[in-house]
Amino acid sequence: MSIEVAGGPKIWQDRKRHLWLLGLVVPTMLFLVLPAVWAMNAAGWHTASQLPLWIGPFLIYALLPALDLWIGDDGQNPPDEVMSALEGDRYYRYATYAYIPFQYASAIFGAYLFTASDLGWLGYDGALGWLGKIGVAMTAATVAGVGINTAHELGHKRDSLERWLSKITLAQVCYGHFYVEHNRGHHVRVATPEDPASARFGETFWEFLPRSTVGGIRSAWELEAQRIRRTGKSPWNPQTWWDNDTVNALAMSVLFWGVMIAVFGVALVPYVLINAFYGSSLLEAVNYLEHYGLVRQKLPNGRYERCTPQHSWNSDHIVTNLFLYHLQRHSDHHANPTRRYQTLRSFEDSPNLPAGYGALIGVTYFPPVWRKLMDHRVLAHYRGDITQANISPRRRQKVLARYGAA
């Protein structure tokens, strides 16, 4: 996209315009590895041929981190003069819409590979072994987990079609409540102790995961119940259920997986569970690192200060940003939540992560490594005053004593 900037002949170009289509590598990767699987089987490497089916975890934990480190930061921000034209260019939204049919094609094809008793066309003598089955399920779950980011982008928009597409995208991981909680819960309470999706200083990912998951589900149900009561109706009346976004989103998951199990049989149940649990865990790992230790301070009137770019960890690593539609420009996203991904900007004065999300998701699983990497950055962000951080209550006294603030 080329746009003439007002006040001079300079032309601004979005150098990533066509690169956004690289995001479609994720929902098609299960299909892309099939030639390698067939070739390895033809060579007689039947056990090793199941390893390419683990392409999803390999992408998340190895390929994206390596590419981020190799290629580095983006460094390009759209100027103010082009924001309106860039926001209105429908090409960018079509790039996100395209993810969804490929996501479901991958889910259905993965279910077939997981349950098929004869995969002779792929070079196997019968069905996949459990090495291959788990790989297929993990890859399909990775597609769905990354798809939550597509749902995140669409769910923030006012267009009713995009909102429904958001819920459809979330159905595979049974995480439809995210549509409600993220937009009306997290964005209101972000970087406060009351937000289940904002990780606290000293809190491990394994402590955060159940707190954020259960807290998010509870919050979504409460928010929808409050909204329905404001219309003068009861949230427990069956006539209101289809208008309840947590109910209709859950119904989509039940319908999709009910049909899938009816078609492929009960042998599909482990596949369903891996999709739901591993796919959603990728979202929660991202939630964990996006606001770790950051907090909005309370004002004299008891309310929290306005959310600014200082309340989210930012990353401008270009490769992961291309795959996640600028989710890593999270500081601008929280300051301007309805802004479309192509217009999000990176701020030098925002707290910045040491690497991209791709490199850090795996690190969150190892608390000592994560804390060595991040705790000093939180402390530096608050200029050595750890009392300003969002500290885990069960570790508060220990943290304050350690940093001389008890």
Side-chain angles (χ1 to χ4, degrees), residues 221-222 224-236:
W221 282 96
E222 290 173 351
E224 272 300 271
Q226 291 169 9
R227 181 184 67 81
I228 292 170
R229 288 191 185 101
R230 285 195 296 269
T231 68
K233 301 176 182 178
S234 169
W236 305 111

Side-chain angles (χ1 to χ4, degrees), residues 38-49:
W38 180 87
M40 294 172 79
N41 276 324
W45 304 342
H46 298 299
T47 299
S49 70

Side-chain angles (χ1 to χ4, degrees), residues 242-254:
W242 187 246
D243 293 329
N244 186 318
D245 284 326
T246 54
V247 173
N248 58 48
L250 178 61
M252 290 181 189
S253 298
V254 172

Side-chain angles (χ1 to χ4, degrees), residues 74 119 124 213 353 379 401:
D74 181 346
L119 290 174
Y124 292 107
T213 302
L353 293 167
L379 191 64

Side-chain angles (χ1 to χ4, degrees), residues 96-118:
T96 57
Y97 296 173
Y99 190 99
I100 303 169
F102 287 118
Q103 173 186 331
Y104 276 92
S106 183
I108 295 168
F109 183 63
Y112 159 72
L113 292 177
F114 192 90
T115 58
S117 59
D118 182 6

Side-chain angles (χ1 to χ4, degrees), residues 3 37 86 113 145 151 310 366 385:
I3 302 175
V37 173
L86 193 60
L113 292 177
Q310 298 298 313
F366 303 96
D385 185 1

Side-chain angles (χ1 to χ4, degrees), residues 27 46 51 56 77 96 108 138 151 156 189 230 251 265 269 300 396:
H46 298 299
L51 295 178
N77 281 332
T96 57
I108 295 168
M138 293 287 281
H156 273 290
R189 299 183 296 243
R230 285 195 296 269
V269 170
R396 186 171 185 84

